[in-house]
Amino acid sequence: MYGLGNYSSALETSSSVNETDLKLESSSAILIEQTTGTVLYEHNSHEKFRPASVTKVMSLLLIMEAIDNRRT
């Protein structure tokens, strides 16, 4: 799993993770298993927040790549 550091082994042995295990300081978070789509952890996952700057830049990059691919 990406970006989990020391927590990946804990996730492999447990089907659920609680908030105190991860010690996150974020307003919201969600962790989804890639192949099954199973939600392993969520905190305020349904709360609406403004997208971060990185999200905006990545969205723009994907749009520009899609436009470029249609031209060829």
Side-chain angles (χ1 to χ4, degrees):
M1 296 187 179
Y2 301 105
L4 294 177
N6 296 333
Y7 301 111
S8 61
S9 60
L11 291 173
E12 291 171 2
T13 58
S14 173
S15 61
S16 65
V17 177
N18 65 42
E19 192 171 337
T20 58
D21 290 339
L22 296 178
K23 297 178 180 70
L24 299 177
E25 295 180 15
S26 62
S27 300
S28 67
I30 187 164
L31 176 64
I32 303 171
E33 203 285 322
Q34 182 177 352
T35 56
T36 64
T38 303
V39 175
L40 300 174
Y41 172 81
E42 64 181 298
H43 169 71
N44 261 353
S45 62
H46 299 292
E47 186 77 23
K48 291 186 179 183
F49 294 98
R50 299 183 84 180
S53 295
V54 173
T55 303
K56 295 174 201 171
V57 171
M58 290 304 298
S59 297
L60 182 60
L61 176 64
L62 292 172
I63 291 167
M64 297 305 290
E65 285 179 355
I67 291 170
D68 285 344
N69 288 337
R70 290 187 188 132
R71 289 186 188 161
T72 58

